[in-house]
Each structure stands twice: as C-alpha cells, then as structure tokens.
Amino acid sequence: MRTHDRLPLPAEGEPADGTTKDTPDTPDTPDTPATPDGTSDGLCTTLRLDAGQPLPDLTAAVTAACDRAEERADRSVVLLRLPDAPAGARSWPGPVDIQQINRWERAVRRLERLPAMSIAVASGACGGPALDLLLVSDYRIGAPDLRLLAPVNDGHFWPGMAVYRISRQLGAARARQIVLWGDDIDAGRARDLGLIDQLTHDTEEAAHTAAVLMGRISDRELAIRRQLLLEAQSLEFDEALGPHLAACDRELRRLAAAEPGPAAGEPHE
C-alpha cells in the first residue's frame, strides 16, 4: 500500500498505562477530541514506546494497546510511535529471564494478529523493542535519518523472534547478512529491502494519511488476508488450500448477505 493522499487524522489522545505521555503534535480542536483511553475520534489507538523502560513495563504497554484495540469496533488503527534509541544503544533485552522474554514475544505476536491495522512511525536509531514492533506492523513509515539497529550483545545478534521475522520477510540470503554480521540498515536500504513502506520528512502527515486510508479497510476480514499471507511462506499448497477455501466461503457468504434482495412484490428472476 502506498499513500499519497492528503487526508487529516484526528488528534492523538493519551496513551494507556505503561506508555509515556503522548503529547499531540497539534492541539486538539472541538472536532477532534482526545479521549483518555489513548484513542481519538474513534479511529486510532496510540502506543508511544519508551525503550528505556524495563521489559515487563514494555510488555504491559503493548498488552494494554492490544486490549484497547480489541475492544474497539472495526475501522480502528493502532499507531505505534517508535523511539529514537540513544546513540550507540545496541544491547537488548538486558538482565531479564526467559519467562519475561516469553511474555514479551507473546505480546508482540498478539499485536501482529490484531484485527486492527497497525502503522509504525520511526526515526533515528530503531532497535531492540522498537525493531520488534516495526517488523510486525502492517505499514511502516520512516524518516530519512532512520537507521535500523541490529540488537547485538558481545558481537552476537539477539536470537529472538526478530531473526525469524527478518528471515521470513527478506529471505535467508539477505537475512544472513544482517543476523550473522550484525549489519545496521539505513533508511534507503530499509526501503529497498521492503522493511519500510514510506520514507518522508513529514512523518506526521504520512501517519495521518495512512491512518485514515487504512482505517477504511481495517477489520477482521483484512486480518484473515494477513494471516493467509503469513502462512503462505511456510505451508505447502495442499496444506494452504483448506484455509483459503474457508476464507473464500466466508467471503461468498459476506457478499451474499450484503447484496440487496428484491423489493416486496417483485418477482425473483
């Protein structure tokens, strides 16, 4: 999806507990009131990540955003505002245990499978938890100074699910260059690789436009298409056929239910 329209997005509200305070870039107006649950005008659930928080707090923030998104009706969008990591920050995830890692990975997976569309906005250095969230987003907007940081500890790439997603999204050959050598990825290369969908100096306008356009098609039907795309890379044709036929049957039923029937007194053809 490429966004070129210029449509306004309602002003952002306050985030859920566990995120930093989200100060809107433009003041609220009576037409776009911000609500306390981090949504605005029925469209967006916003998560502003604070990469300096401990891993349990980051997990709680992602979980809270997922809770809010799942409570909302269709046409909702999750807007992820990813922080600029401190200069030279590479170590991830710090002094944690495997249970905390498991909870984090499950929260990120839940975000990846939400019926709501997700938009990530990133600038500067993006690594660690921000990179994880970027990789599961449906639409990714980056500033020209964006640099994807390989999460490296003592020279070794962190072996979390980012490795899995980079390999799935780029293929083994290109992923090997990043994972084995710990290569950083600048904005131009990230776009060429397909890790970023749009590069722009005006990330606010791009996010506004994308949220409006994606909100129009964000629903459970779109989530089904996303899941089929994810599974297509690992399933053989015969294994994939059943889920695709089930999705086709669901779509035929939906279209039939939406088609207007004949008016009262009119004969059926």
Side-chain angles (χ1 to χ4, degrees):
M1 171 183 170
R2 299 289 177 186
T3 57
H4 301 288
D5 297 6
R6 294 294 181 265
L7 299 176
L9 174 69
E12 295 176 82
E14 293 295 322
D17 293 341
T19 63
T20 59
K21 185 176 181 181
D22 192 0
T23 304
D25 297 284
T26 56
D28 296 333
T29 67
D31 294 329
T32 57
T35 55
D37 66 351
T39 63
S40 59
D41 202 29
L43 184 61
C44 273
T45 295
T46 301
L47 169 62
R48 184 184 292 273
L49 196 71
D50 180 358
Q53 289 183 311
L55 184 59
D57 292 344
L58 293 172
T59 302
V62 174
T63 299
C66 291
D67 288 341
R68 296 201 311 270
E70 288 178 347
E71 289 169 359
R72 304 184 60 76
D74 290 343
R75 316 304 180 197
S76 178
V77 172
V78 178
L79 181 61
L80 305 171
R81 296 191 173 277
L82 306 180
D84 182 359
R90 284 183 173 278
S91 296
W92 165 254
V96 298
D97 59 40
I98 195 61
Q99 287 77 21
Q100 292 172 327
I101 293 297
N102 183 39
R103 286 191 284 270
W104 166 256
E105 294 290 6
R106 290 182 181 277
V108 175
R109 177 60 169 167
R110 182 181 171 194
L111 176 66
E112 185 177 30
R113 302 181 73 175
L114 283 177
M117 298 286 283
S118 56
I119 302 170
V121 181
S123 61
C126 178
L131 180 61
D132 279 349
L133 298 187
L134 180 78
L135 291 172
V136 301
S137 299
D138 293 306
Y139 193 72
R140 306 157 188 181
I141 299 168
D145 67 343
L146 177 66
R147 189 171 81 262
L148 303 185
L149 288 181
V152 173
N153 300 291
D154 293 332
H156 298 292
F157 196 102
W158 169 248
M161 292 305 289
V163 173
Y164 172 85
R165 293 188 174 96
I166 289 173
S167 182
R168 289 282 293 268
Q169 295 176 29
L170 301 185
R174 286 184 292 185
R176 182 174 60 248
Q177 300 171 14
I178 299 167
V179 173
L180 297 186
W181 297 103
D183 286 350
D184 291 348
I185 304 173
D186 62 25
R189 186 182 175 206
R191 180 181 56 189
D192 293 342
L193 290 172
L195 294 175
I196 293 294
D197 297 296
Q198 182 179 2
L199 284 180
T200 176
H201 289 278
D202 194 345
T203 57
E204 291 305 310
E205 183 182 3
H208 292 183
T209 300
V212 172
L213 294 178
M214 295 178 74
R216 295 172 180 169
I217 59 173
S218 181
D219 58 19
R220 295 188 182 278
E221 295 301 318
L222 192 61
I224 291 173
R225 275 67 171 173
R226 182 205 291 138
Q227 188 62 27
L228 293 174
L229 283 170
L230 291 173
E231 293 175 348
Q233 299 182 58
S234 60
L235 296 180
E236 296 294 333
F237 178 87
D238 289 339
E239 295 176 301
L241 181 59
H244 279 264
L245 288 177
C248 290
D249 182 61
R250 177 184 172 96
E251 180 69 357
L252 290 173
R253 292 172 184 271
R254 185 184 71 83
L255 294 173
E259 187 173 326
E266 291 184 0
H268 292 273
E269 294 184 1

